[in-house]
Amino acid sequence: MSGDLLATDIEAYLDAHEQKDLLRFITCGSVDDGKSTLIGRLLYESKLIFDDQLAALEADSKVSGTQGGDLDLALLVDGLAAEREQGITIDVAYRFFTTDRRKFIVADTPGHEQYTRNMVTGASTADVAVILVDARKGLLTQTRRHSYLVSLLGIKTVVLAVNKMDAVGYDQSVAAAIDADYRQFASGIGLDDVTVIPISALRGDNIIETGPNLSWYDGPTLLEYLETVEPVGAATGGPMRMPVQWVTRPDPSFRGFAGQLVAGSVAPGDAVRVLPGGQTSLVERIVTADGDLDVAVAGQSVTLTLADEIDVSRGDVLAAAAEPPAVADQFETSLVWMSDQPMLPGRPYLLKIGTRTVGVSIAQPKYKINVNTMEHTAARTLELNEIGVCNLNLDRAVPFDPYEVNRDMGGFIIIDRLTDVTLAAGMIHFALRRADNVHWQSVEVHKEARAAQAHQKPCVVWFTGLSGSGKSTIANLLEKRLFADGRRTYLLDGDNVRHGLNKDLGFTEADRVENIRRVAEVSKLMVDAGLIVLVSFISPFRAERRMARALLEEGEFVEVYVDTPLEVAESRDPKGLYRKARRGELVNFTGIDSPYEPPEDPEIRVDTTTMTPDEAADRVLRVLRERAILPSAGG
Amino acid sequence: MRSVTDKRPLTHLQRLEAESIAIIREAAAEAERPVMLYSVGKDSAVMLHLAMKAFYPAPPPFPLLHVDTTWKFQEMYEFRDRITAELGVELIVHQNPECVELGINPFTHGSSVHTDMWKTQGLKQALDKHGFDVAFGGARRDEEKSRAKERVFSIRSASHQWDAKAQRPELWRLYNVRKSRGESIRVFPLSNWTELDVWQYIHQQQIPVVPLYLAAERPVVERNGTLIMVDDDRMPLEPGEVPVMKKVRFRTLGCYPLTGAIESDADELTLVIQEMLLTTTSERQGRVIDHDSAASMEKKKQEGYF
C-alpha cells in the first residue's frame, strides 16, 4: 500500500513516514543461533538492501555462502567477519531498518567472548530484547546469561525467538516445551513481559508472515510484534526530570537551561526544584528554535527559563518540585567492569551520572555474580566482564533515582582519572544514607499541610518525672480526651518503646541518653506527620530534654513535669521496682542510685499530691488551649 | 511539526533530533575548543541546523571548519558563503598550504594523493593549528558496514590515529568526553540517522541544501561510464571530448572532477527522495545495476575525513 503511495503521491508517503515512531532493540544469541541470518532477513525484507550490497551478496553467497549458492543473508551483517580475522575486538554494531509503521535501531551484539561488556552496552539503550534459541537445543546456559544481562539493564519486554523451526519439522510441541521452560526461568529474574515466537530466519517463516509451515501458530509474527509492541518501562512517565547540560546566556536578559527531559513532562507554570541545591521556581517558558512550547515530554531536548533568578548550573537536575529525586553521596550499586585493569577498592575514580561528574571510591564488592548461574560469590575486586554489587562513596552528593525507576537518573559510568577511559558502568539500587549537607527539603505535602488536613497543631507533650509519679496514667487520660475530641494522637511510653525500638539499650547513662535521643527523633517525625505526640518517659537528664526541645520548632514542645516526691512515688511503687532497687536487684534506678534532674522551667507542672490524675489531665488540656495548640473549648 | 500541546510519544525524527541536540550540547559543554566540520553537503546542512537549534536563542558556541580542496563545485562555495553569512556563524576555511604551493589536483596527482593531501592532511593541520580538541563530523553508522560499530564519541591519539582498542564503551546517553593532553575526540551527532532520515528531515524542516542535489541541465562528459560535470575551465578535456548538456543530479558532493552525476528528472526534493527509494526497490527486481561512483566517493570522503 505504502509502496503505491511512494510511486503515486510522494508527499503523502513522506507525511506518513514522518509520523513513524522508533523502537530500539537488542538481539542476543550466537552465530549458531542464526542471529546474523535473522538480522539479514529483517534488513532484506524491509527492502533496505541496496543494489551494490545485493550484488555483492549474490556473489558472496556463491563463493562463501552456506546455502548452496542461494542468498545467504547472514553475510549481510557478517562484515565483521573480516575484522574478526584481523583480530580486531568484536564490538556492538548498530543497524537500521524501517517498515511502514516504525523505524528500528538494532544493537547487534556478538554472543561470545566480550559478551558481557557488549551486551550490557547494547542493552543500555534498548527498549526490547530479542533472545534467540535454537529449537533443536532449547534453553542453554547462554540463554540464561543473555536473559540475566537484559534484566540487569532494566529491559522488561523480551521476545524469545525460537529459531530453526524448519530443523525440527515445525513441531508445535518443541516450541511449546521451550515456551514453558523459558517462562518459568524468566519470571524468576523479573522478566514478566515475555513473548515466545517460533520462527525460521533461514526460510522466512513467521518473520513477516506466518506461512503454511507454522499454521498452528496464532500469535503475531516477529515483525508484527516489533511493529506494535509498547515496551514495559520504556515509557518515560513519572515526575519530571531534566539534567542541565548547558546554560544559554545570549544576552543579560535571557538565561535558559538546556537539557533533555529524561522523565515526565513539563509546562510553563510548573513548579520545579533544582537539585542538589533545593531551590524552587516556576517554569516560565519552554524555548525551542521552532517557537515556545506549551508542553515538553520525556525525550525532548529543550531550553527552560525560570521565573526566579536562582543558581542553576550544568550538572544540576531540574525536577518536579513536589516529587524531587533524592540526593545522596553513598549508594549500593551493581557494577559491570569493562576494562582490562581491575577495579581497586578505595582508589579514587571519577563517576559521571547525568551531566554531573564527581569523585568516587568503590568499596570491596559485597559479592560478584556469575552471569551463567546467577550465583553470588565472594570477591575482592572486579575484573573485565565481571559484575558485582558494590557500595560507592562519592565526594559530593548527587541527585538520583534508582536505576529501576529511571535509567538516565540511576545509571552511571566510572572513569579513570589518569587515562580518562571508561572503566565500568553501574546502576544505583538505593542510597545508603541521605547526604548531611542537604536539608530534608520537604515536599509539597509538608508538615503544615498534614496538620491542616488533621485540623490541629502538631506538638509534643513531654511528661517527665520519677518512676511511679503518674506520667503514664495522666498521659493516657489526656490521650483519651484528645482522641474523643477527634485529635490525631500517639502515645510514646517508655516501657513500650524499650520493648521494640530501644530494646538494645540498658540503663547506663550512655544508654539513657541514647534512649531519649531516639524517642526525641521519633517524636519529631510524628510531629512532621501532623500528630499530637504524648511522650511518657522518666527522661531524668535536663540535657536530653533540652535536646528534644531543640529538635522541634518554637511552641511545639510542651514539657509537663509530673511532680511527685520520691517518698510518694516509692510508696505507690505500682510495679514493685523501688523495692527491687532498694534490695539492690536493680541498678541505675532513678531516684535511688541514679539522679533525677527536675525541670527548671516546665510549661506545665502538676502536683500529684494535690491533684487527681483526671484533674491533672484537665490542667494539661487547659494549657494546650491557652497556648492555642488546641482550639479553645467550643471553638 | 510537533504541535505545541502534543503529549504523544515522539516520532522517530523527533527522537533523532533530540538525541543529536543532546550530543552536540554535551560535547560543547565539556570541550575546551570545539569545532564543527562543515563539508557543505546535506549531512553538514542537517548537522548545522541541529547546532543552531541546540543553543537557540544563542548562536552555536563554536566555529565551522571547511577543509577546502579548491576543487569543489562553484555552487558549493556560493552556498557555503551565503548560508554561513545568513546564519551569522563563524566559518574557518583551511586550504593545505603545501597543496596550494604544489598545485595538487586530481588530474595530475590522482584521486588518492589529492584526497589524502587536501583533506586528510589538511584536516590534521587545521585541528592542530587552531588547537581544536573536539570536532563534530556528519558521518552516519548506516553508511557502510565498518561504521556500524563506530562510537558517537570517538577518541583520537595526539597524531589523530583511531585505535580500535582505545574506543570506549558507550552506554545510555552518558558520554565520556574526557581526554588526556593531546588527544582529541570526533563526535558524530548523526550516528543513528539513515540517509532516508536525513532527506526526510531536510524535507520536513525545509533545510536549504546545495542545488546540485536537484536535477538540472548541466554540462557533463562521460568517463569510464561515469558522468563528470565540467564545472570550470581547469578541467582538461581529452581529445575529441565535448561537454554535453544533460539533466543530472548528484547523490553526494565532493570535488567536482571526482564526483559522478546521475541522469535524473528529479528537480524537487520530494522527487529526489522518491527516486532514491524507488531505485532501491526496483534494483532488487533485477534492473541493470548502476555502479555510480558517487557512492564510492562518499566512502572516500569518510576515509579522508575520519
Side-chain angles (χ1 to χ4, degrees), chain A residues 118 199 209 239 291 295 302 314 382 415 480 512 557 614:
Chain A
N118 291 331
I199 62 168
E209 285 169 16
V295 68
V302 293
R314 171 175 165 81
L382 293 176
I415 301 170
K480 277 204 259 181
R512 283 178 184 274
F557 188 85
D614 268 309

Side-chain angles (χ1 to χ4, degrees), chain A residues 7 12 15 21 80 98 102 253-254 256 310 318 327 375 386 389-390 424 436 474 594 623:
Chain A
D15 283 350
D21 64 1
L80 294 170
T98 187
R102 259 189 179 157
S253 69
F254 186 95
I310 55 174
L318 290 175
V327 174
E375 280 170 348
E386 287 189 334
V389 169
C390 305
D436 289 334
I474 301 167
S594 183
V623 174

Side-chain angles (χ1 to χ4, degrees), chain B residues 162-175:
Chain B
W162 184 84
D163 175 1
K165 288 203 165 68
Q167 299 308 308
R168 301 161 175 177
E170 252 171 16
L171 294 97
W172 302 293
R173 306 178 208 189
L174 270 181
Y175 301 105

Side-chain angles (χ1 to χ4, degrees), chain A residues 162-381:
Chain A
V162 183
N163 194 20
K164 305 197 181 182
M165 285 301 292
D166 53 307
V168 295
Y170 298 100
D171 184 345
Q172 183 172 6
S173 66
V174 172
I178 293 174
D179 187 323
D181 277 2
Y182 189 72
R183 280 179 196 284
Q184 191 184 3
F185 163 73
S187 67
I189 57 168
L191 295 175
D192 300 323
D193 185 11
V194 170
T195 305
V196 179
I197 304 180
I199 62 168
S200 167
L202 186 64
R203 306 285 167 221
D205 295 301
N206 228 2
I207 305 296
I208 312 287
E209 285 169 16
T210 298
N213 296 322
L214 291 166
S215 54
W216 50 264
Y217 173 79
D218 58 4
T221 66
L222 181 61
L223 199 62
E224 281 169 359
Y225 175 84
L226 292 172
E227 281 186 320
T228 54
V229 62
E230 294 301 334
V232 174
T236 25
M240 175 262 188
R241 302 281 187 262
M242 190 188 89
V244 175
Q245 287 189 288
W246 180 270
V247 180
T248 306
R249 238 174 281 163
D251 59 66
S253 69
F254 186 95
R255 202 154 153 267
F257 307 106
Q260 189 171 20
L261 278 167
V262 299
S265 64
V266 67
D270 284 0
V272 289
R273 190 180 296 273
V274 186
L275 281 303
Q279 314 92 309
T280 58
S281 185
L282 300 178
V283 175
E284 198 173 58
R285 296 170 56 199
I286 304 172
V287 180
T288 78
D290 301 312
D292 281 12
L293 303 181
D294 288 342
V295 68
V297 299
Q300 277 181 290
S301 284
V302 293
T303 298
L304 304 180
T305 65
L306 303 180
D308 306 285
E309 288 253 340
I310 55 174
D311 184 28
V312 184
S313 335
R314 171 175 165 81
D316 289 343
V317 172
L318 290 175
E323 296 172 275
V327 174
D329 58 4
Q330 289 187 1
F331 301 101
E332 186 193 279
T333 66
S334 287
L335 273 189
V336 182
W337 205 256
M338 298 184 157
S339 168
D340 291 327
Q341 43 166 308
M343 185 266 272
L344 292 178
R347 167 174 285 196
Y349 297 113
L350 294 172
L351 175 146
K352 185 174 183 185
I353 180 167
T355 54
R356 181 171 284 255
T357 303
V358 298
V360 66
S361 65
I362 306 169
Q364 185 173 312
K366 294 180 170 180
Y367 54 84
K368 62 183 181 187
I369 297 154
N370 179 325
V371 293
N372 293 323
T373 62
M374 275 137 271
E375 280 170 348
H376 298 177
T377 52
R380 293 181 166 280
T381 179

Side-chain angles (χ1 to χ4, degrees), chain B residues 14-30:
Chain B
Q14 287 166 341
R15 270 179 77 169
L16 289 173
E17 179 191 75
E19 177 185 70
S20 300
I21 287 173
I23 289 166
I24 292 170
R25 286 171 174 169
E26 197 63 13
E30 296 207 18

Side-chain angles (χ1 to χ4, degrees), chain A residues 76-102:
Chain A
L76 276 174
V77 289
D78 280 351
L80 294 170
E83 294 167 2
R84 197 175 301 149
E85 285 158 21
Q86 295 162 25
I88 297 175
T89 316
I90 305 305
D91 223 314
V92 190
Y94 295 91
R95 313 197 182 276
F96 308 84
F97 69 97
T98 187
T99 68
D100 288 347
R101 301 168 80 160
R102 259 189 179 157

Side-chain angles (χ1 to χ4, degrees), chain A residues 6-11 13-15 17-24 44 47-52 54-55 75-80 83 87-96 98 103 105 117 120-121 124-125 127 153 245-246 248-250 254 258-262 265 287-290 292-295 297-303 314 338 350 352-355 357 403 407-408 411-413 415 418-422 425-427, chain B residues 1-19 21-30 49 52-59 61 140-142 145-151 162 164-181 183 191-197 200-201 203-205 251 268-271 273-281 283-285 289-292 295 299:
Chain A
L6 171 59
T8 57
D9 188 350
I10 182 67
E11 291 281 357
Y13 174 89
L14 286 173
D15 283 350
H17 278 247
E18 280 172 11
Q19 293 312 312
K20 287 188 289 194
D21 64 1
L22 173 64
L23 185 80
R24 299 188 70 144
Y44 178 81
K47 304 178 176 58
L48 270 191
I49 309 303
F50 286 82
D51 48 359
D52 49 340
L54 194 69
L75 295 175
L76 276 174
V77 289
D78 280 351
L80 294 170
E83 294 167 2
I88 297 175
T89 316
I90 305 305
D91 223 314
V92 190
Y94 295 91
R95 313 197 182 276
F96 308 84
T98 187
K103 174 188 163 129
I105 301 179
R117 168 175 150 152
V120 163
T121 301
S124 73
T125 51
D127 309 310
L153 267 289
Q245 287 189 288
W246 180 270
T248 306
R249 238 174 281 163
F254 186 95
Q260 189 171 20
L261 278 167
V262 299
S265 64
V287 180
T288 78
D290 301 312
D292 281 12
L293 303 181
D294 288 342
V295 68
V297 299
Q300 277 181 290
S301 284
V302 293
T303 298
R314 171 175 165 81
M338 298 184 157
L350 294 172
K352 185 174 183 185
I353 180 167
T355 54
T357 303
Y403 183 80
R407 291 190 201 185
D408 295 297
F412 60 87
I413 54 174
I415 301 170
L418 221 57
T419 62
D420 295 304
V421 302
T422 303
M427 290 139 283
Chain B
M1 256 339 298
R2 188 173 179 83
S3 139
V4 292
T5 54
D6 204 338
K7 284 186 103 163
R8 284 176 305 166
L10 305 182
T11 68
H12 72 291
L13 283 180
Q14 287 166 341
R15 270 179 77 169
L16 289 173
E17 179 191 75
E19 177 185 70
I21 287 173
I23 289 166
I24 292 170
R25 286 171 174 169
E26 197 63 13
E30 296 207 18
H49 186 77
M52 296 302 294
K53 286 194 170 196
F55 302 99
Y56 179 87
R140 307 185 315 267
R141 283 172 173 154
D142 81 322
K145 277 186 205 172
S146 65
R147 277 207 46 88
K149 59 177 205 170
E150 176 63 290
R151 305 293 196 277
W162 184 84
K165 288 203 165 68
Q167 299 308 308
R168 301 161 175 177
E170 252 171 16
L171 294 97
W172 302 293
R173 306 178 208 189
L174 270 181
Y175 301 105
N176 178 355
V177 199
R178 300 183 67 87
K179 61 214 165 304
S180 303
R181 198 90 211 129
E183 286 181 338
S191 284
N192 286 327
W193 296 58
T194 63
E195 187 174 15
L196 178 58
D197 296 329
Q200 274 192 335
Y201 190 70
H203 172 252
Q204 183 196 58
Q205 302 277 309
R251 284 170 62 178
E268 285 174 39
L269 192 56
T270 49
L271 298 178
I273 300 172
Q274 184 177 40
E275 208 170 78
M276 182 187 87
L277 290 168
L278 284 173
T279 303
T280 311
T281 49
E283 275 160 3
R284 287 192 55 229
Q285 293 157 4
I289 290 160
D290 166 28
H291 283 292
D292 80 273
K299 285 179 194 165

Side-chain angles (χ1 to χ4, degrees), chain B:
Chain B
M1 256 339 298
R2 188 173 179 83
S3 139
V4 292
T5 54
D6 204 338
K7 284 186 103 163
R8 284 176 305 166
L10 305 182
T11 68
H12 72 291
L13 283 180
Q14 287 166 341
R15 270 179 77 169
L16 289 173
E17 179 191 75
E19 177 185 70
S20 300
I21 287 173
I23 289 166
I24 292 170
R25 286 171 174 169
E26 197 63 13
E30 296 207 18
E32 283 166 41
R33 188 140 167 71
V35 67
M36 181 165 276
L37 303 179
Y38 182 73
S39 71
V40 203
K42 64 184 193 306
D43 301 307
S44 283
V46 167
M47 193 164 63
L48 175 57
H49 186 77
L50 292 164
M52 296 302 294
K53 286 194 170 196
F55 302 99
Y56 179 87
F62 43 74
L64 304 185
L65 171 63
H66 183 214
V67 179
D68 187 25
T69 65
T70 72
W71 288 92
K72 304 292 176 187
F73 292 89
Q74 286 313 305
E75 279 188 82
M76 289 172 72
Y77 293 116
E78 288 157 21
F79 179 87
R80 178 195 74 188
D81 295 340
R82 179 170 64 79
I83 289 295
T84 50
E86 276 176 16
L87 295 177
V89 291
E90 184 192 344
L91 173 71
I92 297 170
V93 176
H94 180 84
Q95 297 172 346
N96 182 345
E98 200 185 349
C99 293
V100 175
E101 197 179 315
L102 295 173
I104 299 293
N105 70 77
F107 302 108
T108 41
H109 302 97
S111 65
S112 61
V113 168
H114 170 83
T115 303
D116 178 66
M117 287 196 64
W118 278 112
K119 296 169 91 175
T120 311
Q121 303 309 321
L123 173 67
K124 291 178 190 174
Q125 283 170 357
L127 294 177
D128 289 342
K129 179 180 165 192
H130 297 278
F132 294 125
D133 62 335
V134 167
F136 296 99
R140 307 185 315 267
R141 283 172 173 154
D142 81 322
E143 284 172 28
E144 48 179 317
K145 277 186 205 172
S146 65
R147 277 207 46 88
K149 59 177 205 170
E150 176 63 290
R151 305 293 196 277
V152 177
F153 285 67
S154 182
I155 195 97
R156 300 301 148 97
S157 68
S159 55
H160 300 282
Q161 297 300 304
W162 184 84
D163 175 1
K165 288 203 165 68
Q167 299 308 308
R168 301 161 175 177
E170 252 171 16
L171 294 97
W172 302 293
R173 306 178 208 189
L174 270 181
Y175 301 105
N176 178 355
V177 199
R178 300 183 67 87
K179 61 214 165 304
S180 303
R181 198 90 211 129
E183 286 181 338
S184 62
I185 299 182
R186 304 287 190 278
V187 179
F188 305 110
L190 305 184
S191 284
N192 286 327
W193 296 58
T194 63
E195 187 174 15
L196 178 58
D197 296 329
V198 167
W199 281 119
Q200 274 192 335
Y201 190 70
I202 288 170
H203 172 252
Q204 183 196 58
Q205 302 277 309
Q206 299 177 297
I207 301 169
V209 291
V210 185
L212 292 162
Y213 285 114
L214 305 178
E217 296 282 338
R218 297 185 172 100
V220 293
V221 294
E222 188 174 331
R223 286 185 181 170
N224 304 323
T226 302
L227 294 174
I228 302 294
M229 179 172 166
V230 185
D231 195 48
D232 61 39
D233 54 14
R234 288 182 294 173
M235 175 149 164
L237 295 175
E238 315 259 321
E241 207 174 45
V242 180
V244 291
M245 294 301 284
K246 283 192 173 171
K247 195 164 189 186
V248 295
R249 65 179 176 88
F250 297 86
R251 284 170 62 178
T252 59
L253 297 178
C255 296
Y256 80 82
L258 298 172
T259 305
I262 54 169
E263 287 194 79
S264 168
D265 286 322
D267 52 8
E268 285 174 39
L269 192 56
T270 49
L271 298 178
V272 171
I273 300 172
Q274 184 177 40
E275 208 170 78
M276 182 187 87
L277 290 168
L278 284 173
T279 303
T280 311
T281 49
S282 57
E283 275 160 3
R284 287 192 55 229
Q285 293 157 4
R287 250 207 236 154
V288 177
I289 290 160
D290 166 28
H291 283 292
D292 80 273
S293 64
S296 71
M297 274 315 300
E298 177 139 11
K299 285 179 194 165
K300 275 225 170 57
K301 182 188 80 173
Q302 295 313 330
E303 286 161 12
Y305 261 147
F306 302 113

